[in-house]
Amino acid sequence: MKECAILLNGELSQLDSIRPYLSRVTHYIAADGGARHALKHNLSITTLIGDFDSLSTEILEQYRSLGVEIIEHPVDKDSTDLELAVRLAHARRAESIHLLGTEGVRSDHLLGIMTLLGHSDFKECRLWAYDAAFDAFPSPVHHLAYLSSYHRTYEPPSASDAVHPATW
């Protein structure tokens, strides 16, 4: 798997703006409640992972009946559903991982996302987080945080960009 997208349980208002960046995605993984985005936006997920505390039984059974790979973890665990999904994609040799549905998350989840972007376990793959709420990277519309090894730079956004890359 070269390109993978992970659907999270936050808001996903920017999907139309970032579709061009997802053109090479071959696998969609839903982290728990992120599965609702797949249904809403007609995205075919290959794997559903998490403790399923944010997902209705009906949606879980719907994916089970479709033959989607389901990996269930206990609620009492040391990793977030997002981290489990990123580790799965990384173990399956994803070179780029796109995080979708990160808008409107709680501040502790946002901190977790930012920490995960800089985690040394994933330094050989690219993690992309798309979110209209990352105030750390000022932009009029959307932001794209991209991790590539430990090289840190910032590309100023152009006025015509709908998604602005920030690399660090």
Side-chain angles (χ1 to χ4, degrees):
M1 135 181 11
K2 287 200 179 257
E3 299 262 344
C4 173
I6 297 174
L7 298 161
L8 307 176
N9 197 30
E11 295 305 313
L12 185 56
S13 64
Q14 80 284 11
L15 187 59
D16 289 337
S17 300
I18 62 173
R19 277 197 194 272
Y21 296 93
L22 304 177
S23 62
R24 292 186 296 211
V25 169
T26 56
H27 291 79
Y28 283 88
I29 297 172
D32 201 340
R36 67 185 175 89
H37 293 306
L39 291 174
K40 180 180 178 182
H41 297 286
N42 200 28
L43 301 170
S44 298
I45 62 171
T46 52
T47 306
L48 179 54
I49 190 169
D51 56 21
F52 308 130
D53 64 343
S54 303
L55 191 63
S56 72
T57 306
E58 295 80 20
I59 292 177
L60 182 60
E61 290 308 315
Q62 183 177 355
Y63 280 113
R64 199 179 307 276
S65 70
L66 291 171
V68 169
E69 176 186 26
I70 295 176
I71 303 172
E72 189 166 358
H73 289 269
V75 175
D76 187 22
K77 59 188 183 312
D78 292 332
S79 300
T80 64
D81 294 329
L82 166 61
E83 185 177 351
L84 294 171
V86 170
R87 288 192 181 284
L88 176 67
H90 183 257
R92 292 183 177 177
R93 308 270 190 255
E95 294 174 8
S96 290
I97 302 171
H98 304 265
L99 306 180
L100 309 175
T102 60
E103 288 183 52
V105 298
R106 297 182 339 219
S107 58
D108 59 329
H109 288 186
L110 180 60
L111 218 75
I113 291 167
M114 298 305 288
T115 302
L116 194 59
L117 288 172
H119 201 292
S120 63
D121 284 358
F122 312 114
K123 65 183 178 186
E124 68 278 351
C125 74
R126 292 175 294 175
L127 291 170
W128 303 77
Y130 303 86
D131 195 324
F134 280 154
D135 294 330
F137 308 104
S139 162
V141 187
H142 298 293
H143 307 280
L144 167 68
Y146 162 64
L147 171 73
S148 175
S149 187
Y150 292 108
H151 184 68
R152 297 163 192 253
T153 59
Y154 175 73
E155 285 181 43
S158 70
S160 62
D161 285 323
V163 179
H164 307 295
T167 355
W168 82 99

